Structure formats: C-alpha cells, structure tokens
Amino acid sequence: MLKFLMKRFVQMIPVLIGVTILTFSMMLLIPGDPAQIMAGESASPEQLELVRERLGLNDPIPVQYFDYLKGVITGDLGDSIRSGRPVAQEVFGRLAPTVELAFYSTLLAVFIGLIAGVISAVRRYSITDSAIMFGALFGLSMPNFWLGLMLIQWLVIGAGWFQASGWGSPAQMILQVVTLGTAGSAIIARMTRSSMLEVIDMDYIQTARAKGVSERVVIYRHALKNAMIPVVTVVGLQFGSLLGGAVLTETVFAINGLGRLIINAIRARDFPIVQGGVLVFSFLFVFVNIIVDVLYRFLNKRINLN
Amino acid sequence: MTEKLLQVENLKISFDMGDSLSEVVSDVSFEISHGETLGIVGESGSGKSVSARSIMQLLGKNAVIDKKSSIRFIGEEITEKTGKEMRKIRGKDIGMIFQDPMTSLNPTMKIGKQISESIKIHEDVSKKEAAERTKEIMHLVGIPDVDERFEQYPHELSGGMRQRIVIAIALACHPKLLIADEPTTALDVTIQAQILELLKEIQEKTGTSILLITHDFGVVANMCENIVVMNQGQVVESGSTKEIFSNPKEDYAKRLLAAIPNLHEQKTRAAKEKLIKIYSGTQEKVLEVSGLSKHFPLGRKSTLKAVDDISFGIYRGETLGLVGESGSGKSTTGRAILRLHEPTYGETLFNGLDINRFKKRQMKNLRKKVQFVFQDPYSSLNPRQKVEDIIGEALYIHKLAKSKLKRKQRVEELLDVVGLDRSFSQRFPHEFSGGQRQRIGIARALAVEPDFIVLDEPLSALDASVQAQIVELLEDLQRKLNLTYLFIAHDLATVKKISDRVAVMYKGNIVELTDSEELFENPIHSYTKKLLSAIPVPDPHYEATGGHVSPDEEEEITIEGQVLTEIRPNHWVLQ
C-alpha cells in the first residue's frame, strides 16, 4: 500500500510540472504587456522598463519559467497587482470556503446519487425508476447558476428560510451545497443505475440469493460494492467540474471563496492572482484524483496494489 | 412407499413478454429419492435450467409458474411458499452450484466470508464457530492451505479451485439436495474429472441427493442412476441411465446419443489412404513451422512463454488437430501462425516462404490464402453488419468481385455452400442461432478461396447435435475444395473424429504428435494419458465396472529441456 502511494506521488510530479508550464504560459499568452498593466496606463517608458526589470520580463523565457517554478516550490507566487499582498496569502486565505463547498457538494452528490441509482436499478421500468431518471435528466440539464437563482427567489426571498450570502452557518450553506451538488447527484445516479443493472445480472448475485441471503443484503453487500467501482472514477472526475461550478455558485451566493477571487481578479486584470488561483485549483484536482485512485484500488480487489 | 425427497409434477413455466406469454417448460415431472443422483439432460433452450431454478424459486420476476404445477420438497409445497420462507430453504436445505466459477463468486468478498455467510444466515453460531465450520467444509471439498485461502479473493484462485469454493458454498449447511447446473461445462477436462469425483465423494460422505443438469451424456453416464431427457420444454424420455443408453425409445434421445463422438471409431478407408500419402512423403507441406515461440512480457522482469519453441508441418488436404487445456498455448499458436500475434522467434514457411518476414503488401496477399474461424460465433460477427457485408467484405478488400451484383451472387453461392438459405444475406447476426452463425463465420473464411484455415475451437460454443453438423460441413468442404485445416480444440473426442493427425500441447510445448488413432490407442506421454483418462465415457456399463480412473491432480509433469523425438514410426513424443 505504502509503495503504491509512493509510486503515485512520484508519477504526479510530471503532471504538476505540466500544470506549472500551462499557468506560466497564461502570462505569456494574455493580450497586452503585463508590465503596462502593472504600471498602469499612464506610466512613462522609463517606469515601464523599471517594472520589466523588476519582474524579470527581459530575461529569456526559459529563465523566466525557472524563476516562476522556483517561486512555486518556495511558495512565492508573486504579488497581487491590486492589493499588493503576496498571491499565496490571498489565495490560501480564500481556499477554505471553496474546498468546504466542493467537499460537502461531493458528499451530497454521492449520497443522493447512490441511493437514487440503487432504487432506480432495483425497480427497473417502474414508475419510481422513471421519476428518478426524469429528475436526474432535469438536474443534469439545469445550469447551476440558474438553479441557485431560483432557490434564492423561492427559499430566501420567498420563504426566508435561508441566507443568500456568506458562508459558515448552516443557513448559509445548505442552498449553496444543493446548488452545486445537484448536477453531480444526477450524474452519479445515472451511473449507479447502469452499473447496478449490469452487476445484478451477474452469476454471483444468483449465488448469493441461492445462499438464502435477504434481498436487502444482496443489493447492498453483494451488488452495490461491485457496482461502486466504476462510479468512484466518475466521482473523481466530477470533483473537477465541481471546482468549476464553485466559481459560479460563489458568485451567485456571494461567498468569499477562491472562485470569486479569481472572477474578480479577471475583471481587474490582476493576473498574478488568476495564475495562482488556477495553479491551486489544478493541484487540488490532481490530489483528489490520487485519493480516488487509492479508493478504486481498495474497492477493486483484482488490482494488485504493488 | 418411502417418501421422495423431491417430487415435481406437471411443472409449467412461462415468461411474461409484456403482451404475450411464452411457455418455456410444459408439463415436466420427475422425482428424486434420498441420496439419489438424477441427471437432467438437454441442449440449450430445452428448459432444463429454468426447471431447476424453479425449485429454488430463483426465476426472474417475469417468470410465471402455472397454478396446477406442483413442486414438493420433503412433503412441502414449494410453489406456495413466501419469499421469506423460501430464503430459509435456500442455502440450508437446497444448495445450488452454477456453471461458470469465473463469474459465480463475488469478486470483492473474501472467500472465507462467502462461505461462512450462508452458515451465519441459517444457523445461530458465533463468528468463530462459523469460521471453523467454513474451514472444515473447505477441507472437505479438497482445498489445500485452508487458512491462507480463507483470506483470499476469488481472482487469486484457479478455475478448478473456484468451482470447489462454489461447491463449498452450496454445501455449507449440509443441504439435503444439491442442484448442480452444468457444474463442469466451463472447466478443462482434467479439472472436470476431479470435480465430478469430488461430487461423488461428497455424496458418499454426506448422503445428499444431487440434481445434475448437463448437456453432456458422458457426465451423466458417469454420475447418475436415473436421467430425464428434455427437449423444447418437455420431458421426452426418462428412466434408468443404463436403460436409456442401451435402448433409447424416442428419436430425440437416439439422435443425441448418436451425436456423441465415439472414441473407438475406426478411420474410414479414404482417411487411411490420406495418412499413407502423408507419411510416404508424396504429399507436399502447406505449412511448416519451426522454432515458433510467442512470449508475453509479464511486468518488467518475467515473461510468459505461451508458445515455446515448437515445430510441426501441415500437409495439403489434411486436418491437424491441436489439443490442449486452457493456458496450454494452443490458441496462441494458431494466432502466431497467421501473425495475428506477432511471433517472438521462429519461422513459418507457407508454400516455402517465411511469412514472418513478409512486408505489408505480401501479408495482404497472404490473407487471401489463409483464413481464421473464431471460437465464439456470438462475438466474432459484427452486430451492425448485414450477413452480405460480413461475408462480402473480404471480396471487396481483395478486389475479388468486380461489381456489386457479382459480389451479391458470390455471397449467395457461399451461403449455399455452408448450407444456409440465400435470403439470409439481408439479415443481421442476432437473428441467427449459434450453429447458423458459425456457418456464417465459415462462409466468411471461405469467401477468398483460401488454401488453409485455422479453426480456433469452432465448436465449443455449440450444442452437441449442432457440433456434429458443423463437423460434417467442415469435412465436406475439405473434400470438395481441397482445404487444409489446423483444428484447435480442448475436446479430444471431436478432435479425434475430424483430424488426420493430432498434436497435444502442454505448457507451450507439443508433447505428443501422431495420427489420431495411434494417439488414442497408444498414448505415450504422461500428459496425453492424463487427458485421455479424464474424458467421461458416455457408457454407464463402462463407468459402473470401475473402468474410470480419475487422474491424480497432484502429479506435476515436467517438460523442461526435453525434445520431440520419434519413438515409433511417425509417433513423436517429447522426452
């Protein structure tokens, strides 16, 4: 197990280096001169040259990249143009709400998705099945910012049960998590249903029934554990789109998270923040998928950990 | 009169197809006494499995058992029981063994737990007691290193071992009746012999009754006192095994018995003449393989030598049988010869040229001369193509048909040749039975007018009566078109019937090579002997007189560093 983890972490290094190359190229690819943006529209040529010199923009590109990489490793992601504070401080200060939001949404998606998927599969072609699958299609097709706006309209403005801004108390979290987790629940429900249907026809399910095992145990202990294997992979990939979805959800619900930070930074052309934010998002995604990998191997006994 | 253990009367089962009922079992009756083994024999679709599953009430939701049907188990009516009552019987009083050990165990659950689960459900025992009982049963079904196996997962065991586990699950609570649904069909013949022997032993020790469902008359003769022959949902004949084997009354039973290849059948004169021609050296070699090897890398350090330095020749117009159990390298050999797997070393001379050095263009030309027929007629035909396109595709690739009309005509000719109706050309594969599909596969191979065809287990997915028809077709085509076959199979009996000479493969090597009669009458290599003795003989008298010697499973046959030597004229043995 330990050996496997070590191996996964080593394999991760090239991926992370790839991520830094991409975020670094972002700076090169944005239209306009970064020095001009930093120094402001009215800067004189001398001032511009000074900024360029300070940022190392006159160095050859590979040198610039290695400076950047050195910064990433030592935790120095540059300074925000707007606030002048270090990017690392800004980004990590906003990380908690985003990670919490994504985590709770994943939990909700897995919980609802699995239950709905199992029920749908067990009662295949029944009205319940049709209703769940219709709901899933609906949840999948609904853009989450729209769902968020509707929930605010009904349950915050209308009923007054929840709060529509901030992050921390349950009243500030439930709608937000539902908004972000709905699409995930729908995808997991559909995936679980088809995976369960496949497993339920397997011989070993008949073997279990022939032992006299009750139907509930057959479904949850024998079938679901096997049906989970492909679902776990989807959950990992889903986490990536949850991070993307967080950007929208945070904007709609005015949560001071990383997503909103990036949006505001884009508007203000505060590129070091955007760069740092994207980098942190990418790292998170890679880490989550390693966790999923471990989980996958834990569930699927046929894969040897070494 | 003592009470029977199980009495099935007027069993009638239909499946609800939505708007109509389709009857799959009609008016089936049979009974089993305490300690008896009853065989239900029939081909696929005969309703034998459905009947057996109805005893456990394990049919799908859409199955309807007729109200007049009766299934009495120790005097109690099974058809009237609720789901909860049935669960108390399943696994406790009736145990069930399924066909394929590769799929009938839960891959994510430890073996020990899968067996003890049954004990824990039905008996009030502590965890420790259940574990002890489980280990006893694992011991009973002949599993070595019980403590270690207890903690393992199914994929860590071989097929034979897994089937022992499946049997252990069925036996966990000492059931009065064991239903075995084709328990050895998915196994190699030597493993099959061990499992059948095990079932007999268990019956002696525990006195349980067995309901054995199979398509194989050899297995029935070996195991059962009484049999029931089923066809299309009905019982066509029933009685004592000896009686039915020696004096079948109904046509269907006669046909089934006749379809069993006879191991002691003499060769025809034509076949003998062919052999003489081959041995005298007047017949040219179509294919000559020398030093052929195919190694697969297993991780970084080790390699699997699937085929290890084998040499043989195939003469024009002959059928060379290639026999071996799973993992022996027989299929890999067939593929390596046609470069479907690129050989690691070795030469394959086809009409005198080494095809392993062929460039792309030469290979394309070669594909016109050599063809392949696959094992599984269900997955080897593209489900989205019409039969006309499946058969005619090669005509197009090799520019053998000038126009669409010509192509259509040629496809229809080919359908005639393999005994199918011309109108089939416009249909899709799913509309056909297994035997018909295999005929389509053969027509596809014949389309380019090849000289040489590799047949990779072309019969193993088919019923016995269908097998006989396909063998006949293949023999007929060989005579008419002067074809040469490499016939790969695990079933020795079929190989004997169709082959002129037979090569036996074991662990990537050919251990014995000679003409088929000589091989069956005078096997020399210990592995060949083991294989031959493991075949269940479809003759109850033979079995009853103790003619059957079951192979010793522990015996390890070494072949390291040995070479194929001609010990008698034209009889080569690895030593």
Side-chain angles (χ1 to χ4, degrees), chain B residues 127-155:
Chain B
K127 215 175 160 184
K128 207 175 140 219
E129 279 173 298
E132 272 167 24
R133 284 266 307 276
T134 300
K135 286 177 185 174
E136 267 169 43
I137 288 157
M138 286 169 77
H139 197 73
L140 177 75
V141 297
I143 289 163
D145 312 317
V146 165
D147 288 314
E148 197 183 317
R149 300 274 182 247
F150 191 86
E151 298 292 330
Q152 282 180 322
Y153 288 95
H155 72 270

Coordinates of all heavy atoms in Angstrom, one line a residue, chain B residues 127-155:
Chain B
K127 N -19.2 -16.1 15.4 CA -18.3 -15.8 14.3 C -17.2 -16.9 14.2 O -16.9 -17.4 13.1 CB -17.7 -14.4 14.4 CG -17.5 -13.7 13.1 CD -17.0 -12.3 13.4 CE -16.4 -11.8 12.1 NZ -15.8 -10.4 12.2
K128 N -16.7 -17.2 15.4 CA -15.6 -18.2 15.4 C -16.1 -19.5 15.0 O -15.4 -20.2 14.2 CB -15.1 -18.2 16.9 CG -13.6 -18.6 16.9 CD -13.1 -18.5 18.4 CE -12.1 -19.7 18.6 NZ -12.3 -20.2 19.9
E129 N -17.2 -20.0 15.5 CA -17.7 -21.3 15.1 C -18.0 -21.3 13.5 O -17.6 -22.3 12.9 CB -19.1 -21.6 15.8 CG -18.9 -22.1 17.2 CD -20.3 -22.2 17.8 OE1 -20.9 -21.1 18.0 OE2 -20.7 -23.3 18.2
A130 N -18.5 -20.2 13.0 CA -18.8 -20.2 11.6 C -17.5 -20.3 10.8 O -17.4 -21.0 9.8 CB -19.5 -18.9 11.2
A131 N -16.5 -19.6 11.3 CA -15.2 -19.7 10.6 C -14.6 -21.1 10.6 O -14.1 -21.7 9.7 CB -14.2 -18.7 11.2
E132 N -14.8 -21.8 11.8 CA -14.3 -23.2 11.9 C -15.0 -24.1 11.0 O -14.4 -24.9 10.3 CB -14.4 -23.6 13.4 CG -13.2 -23.3 14.2 CD -13.5 -23.5 15.7 OE1 -14.4 -24.3 16.0 OE2 -12.8 -22.8 16.5
R133 N -16.4 -23.9 11.0 CA -17.2 -24.8 10.1 C -16.8 -24.6 8.6 O -16.7 -25.5 7.9 CB -18.7 -24.4 10.3 CG -19.3 -25.0 11.5 CD -20.0 -26.3 11.2 NE -20.9 -26.2 10.1 CZ -22.2 -25.8 10.3 NH1 -22.6 -25.5 11.5 NH2 -23.0 -25.8 9.2
T134 N -16.6 -23.3 8.3 CA -16.2 -23.0 6.9 C -14.9 -23.7 6.5 O -14.8 -24.3 5.5 CB -15.9 -21.4 6.8 OG1 -17.2 -20.8 7.1 CG2 -15.5 -21.1 5.4
K135 N -13.9 -23.7 7.4 CA -12.6 -24.3 7.1 C -12.8 -25.8 7.0 O -12.2 -26.4 6.1 CB -11.6 -24.0 8.2 CG -11.1 -22.5 8.1 CD -10.2 -22.1 9.1 CE -9.9 -20.6 8.9 NZ -9.1 -20.0 10.0
E136 N -13.7 -26.4 7.8 CA -14.0 -27.8 7.7 C -14.5 -28.1 6.3 O -14.1 -29.1 5.6 CB -15.0 -28.3 8.7 CG -14.5 -28.8 10.0 CD -15.7 -28.9 11.0 OE1 -16.8 -29.4 10.6 OE2 -15.5 -28.5 12.1
I137 N -15.4 -27.3 5.8 CA -16.0 -27.6 4.5 C -15.0 -27.4 3.4 O -15.0 -28.1 2.5 CB -17.3 -26.7 4.3 CG1 -18.4 -27.2 5.2 CG2 -17.8 -26.7 2.9 CD1 -19.4 -26.2 5.6
M138 N -14.2 -26.3 3.6 CA -13.2 -26.1 2.5 C -12.2 -27.3 2.5 O -11.8 -27.7 1.4 CB -12.4 -24.8 2.9 CG -13.1 -23.5 2.6 SD -12.3 -22.1 3.3 CE -11.0 -21.8 2.1
H139 N -12.0 -27.9 3.6 CA -11.2 -29.1 3.7 C -11.9 -30.2 2.9 O -11.3 -31.0 2.1 CB -10.9 -29.5 5.1 CG -9.8 -30.4 5.3 ND1 -8.5 -30.0 5.1 CD2 -9.8 -31.7 5.6 CE1 -7.7 -31.1 5.3 NE2 -8.4 -32.1 5.5
L140 N -13.2 -30.4 3.2 CA -14.0 -31.4 2.6 C -14.0 -31.4 1.1 O -13.9 -32.4 0.4 CB -15.4 -31.3 3.1 CG -16.5 -32.3 2.5 CD1 -16.3 -33.7 3.1 CD2 -17.9 -31.8 2.8
V141 N -14.0 -30.2 0.5 CA -14.1 -30.0 -0.9 C -12.6 -30.0 -1.5 O -12.5 -29.7 -2.7 CB -14.8 -28.8 -1.4 CG1 -16.3 -28.9 -1.0 CG2 -14.2 -27.5 -0.9
G142 N -11.7 -30.4 -0.7 CA -10.3 -30.6 -1.2 C -9.5 -29.3 -1.5 O -8.8 -29.3 -2.5
I143 N -9.7 -28.3 -0.7 CA -8.9 -27.1 -0.9 C -7.7 -27.2 0.0 O -7.8 -27.3 1.2 CB -9.7 -25.9 -0.6 CG1 -10.7 -25.7 -1.7 CG2 -8.9 -24.6 -0.5 CD1 -11.9 -24.8 -1.4
P144 N -6.5 -27.1 -0.6 CA -5.3 -27.1 0.3 C -5.0 -25.7 0.9 O -5.6 -24.7 0.5 CB -4.1 -27.4 -0.7 CG -4.7 -26.9 -2.0 CD -6.2 -27.0 -2.0
D145 N -4.2 -25.7 1.9 CA -3.9 -24.4 2.6 C -5.1 -23.6 3.0 O -5.2 -22.4 2.6 CB -2.9 -23.5 1.8 CG -1.8 -24.3 1.2 OD1 -1.2 -25.1 2.0 OD2 -1.5 -24.1 0.0
V146 N -6.0 -24.2 3.7 CA -7.3 -23.6 4.0 C -7.2 -22.3 4.7 O -7.8 -21.3 4.3 CB -8.1 -24.6 4.9 CG1 -9.3 -23.9 5.5 CG2 -8.6 -25.8 4.0
D147 N -6.3 -22.2 5.7 CA -6.2 -20.9 6.4 C -5.8 -19.7 5.5 O -6.3 -18.6 5.6 CB -5.1 -21.0 7.5 CG -5.6 -21.9 8.6 OD1 -6.8 -21.7 9.0 OD2 -4.9 -22.8 9.1
E148 N -4.9 -20.0 4.6 CA -4.5 -19.0 3.7 C -5.6 -18.6 2.7 O -5.9 -17.4 2.4 CB -3.3 -19.5 2.9 CG -2.4 -18.5 2.2 CD -1.3 -19.1 1.5 OE1 -0.7 -20.1 2.0 OE2 -1.1 -18.8 0.3
R149 N -6.2 -19.7 2.1 CA -7.3 -19.4 1.1 C -8.5 -18.7 1.7 O -9.1 -17.9 1.1 CB -7.8 -20.8 0.6 CG -6.8 -21.6 -0.1 CD -6.7 -21.2 -1.6 NE -5.7 -22.0 -2.3 CZ -4.6 -21.6 -2.7 NH1 -4.2 -20.3 -2.6 NH2 -3.7 -22.4 -3.4
F150 N -8.7 -18.9 3.0 CA -9.8 -18.3 3.7 C -9.8 -16.8 3.6 O -10.8 -16.1 3.4 CB -9.7 -18.7 5.2 CG -10.9 -18.3 6.0 CD1 -12.0 -19.2 6.1 CD2 -11.0 -17.1 6.7 CE1 -13.1 -18.9 6.8 CE2 -12.1 -16.8 7.4 CZ -13.2 -17.7 7.5
E151 N -8.6 -16.2 3.5 CA -8.4 -14.8 3.5 C -8.2 -14.2 2.1 O -8.0 -13.0 1.9 CB -7.2 -14.3 4.3 CG -7.3 -14.7 5.8 CD -8.4 -13.8 6.5 OE1 -8.6 -12.7 6.0 OE2 -8.9 -14.3 7.5
Q152 N -8.3 -15.1 1.1 CA -8.0 -14.6 -0.3 C -9.3 -14.2 -1.0 O -10.4 -14.6 -0.6 CB -7.3 -15.7 -1.1 CG -5.8 -15.8 -0.7 CD -5.1 -16.9 -1.5 OE1 -5.7 -18.0 -1.8 NE2 -3.9 -16.6 -1.9
Y153 N -9.1 -13.6 -2.2 CA -10.2 -13.2 -3.0 C -10.3 -14.1 -4.2 O -9.3 -14.7 -4.6 CB -10.0 -11.7 -3.5 CG -10.2 -10.7 -2.4 CD1 -9.2 -10.2 -1.7 CD2 -11.5 -10.3 -2.1 CE1 -9.4 -9.3 -0.7 CE2 -11.7 -9.4 -1.1 CZ -10.6 -8.9 -0.4 OH -10.9 -8.0 0.6
P154 N -11.5 -14.3 -4.8 CA -11.6 -15.3 -5.9 C -10.6 -15.2 -7.0 O -10.2 -16.2 -7.5 CB -13.0 -15.0 -6.4 CG -13.8 -14.4 -5.3 CD -12.8 -13.6 -4.5
H155 N -10.2 -14.0 -7.4 CA -9.3 -13.9 -8.6 C -7.9 -14.5 -8.3 O -7.2 -14.7 -9.2 CB -9.1 -12.4 -9.0 CG -8.3 -11.6 -8.0 ND1 -8.9 -10.9 -7.0 CD2 -7.0 -11.4 -8.0 CE1 -7.9 -10.3 -6.3 NE2 -6.8 -10.6 -6.9

